[in-house]
Every structure is written in structure tokens, then in C-alpha cells.
Amino acid sequence: ASSRASITARDILAAAQGQPVPQHGYQCMSCCRIFPTLWSVKTHIQHSSQEGYSCKVYYRKLKALREKEHKAQEAAAPKV
């Protein structure tokens, strides 16, 4: 169910953490294209299959992996 969740701006920015930031825009971490606004990269991701890219799949998988990792960290944390 969480793998079907929509990709948010926070997901896009989290995927780009630690990567060099282009001076004039946002980079899709899947196909490496650069877009002028966060909204435009989000729109690209949502409609990537129509453009011949699989960016939406990439971001969904990445989001699912981050959620799984977060749950594992919570489970491993000592209970007070």
C-alpha cells in the first residue's frame, strides 16, 4: 500500500540529499534531467511513463525503502 503512495516534494528533496545542487533548478534523481521548479520535476515524475521514463517507479521504490528503513530503526531503538 505504501508503495502506491503519491510522491511528494519532500520525497523528491530527500532523494536529492547529499547530491550536488544544480544552480538553476531541481534534478530528477532517476533520469538526471534538470527542471526549473520543484513543481515541474514532480509533474515530470508523475507523468514520466508517458515520456518513456520510469522515474515514478524509481521514486516509489525509494520511498518504500526509506519507510522500511525508518521502521527498522524504530524497532531497533531501545524502549524507554
Side-chain angles (χ1 to χ4, degrees):
S2 66
S3 64
R4 290 287 177 199
S6 64
I7 304 302
T8 65
R10 180 175 287 177
D11 298 323
I12 296 167
L13 293 173
Q17 244 178 359
Q19 298 297 319
V21 178
Q23 292 198 6
H24 301 289
Y26 296 87
Q27 184 175 17
C28 173
M29 299 310 294
S30 178
C31 68
C32 298
R33 291 175 58 195
I34 298 176
F35 297 87
T37 64
L38 189 55
W39 181 84
S40 62
V41 74
K42 184 177 177 189
T43 301
H44 157 72
I45 292 166
Q46 295 301 326
H47 302 287
S48 61
S49 62
Q50 295 169 358
E51 300 172 16
Y53 294 97
S54 59
C55 304
K56 190 174 190 177
V57 173
Y58 171 85
Y59 278 93
R60 280 187 174 165
K61 292 285 187 188
L62 184 62
K63 184 175 185 171
L65 287 172
R66 287 181 187 268
E67 288 173 356
K68 185 177 180 180
E69 189 176 271
H70 180 71
K71 287 179 185 177
Q73 287 175 351
E74 284 179 345
K79 306 268 189 232
V80 178

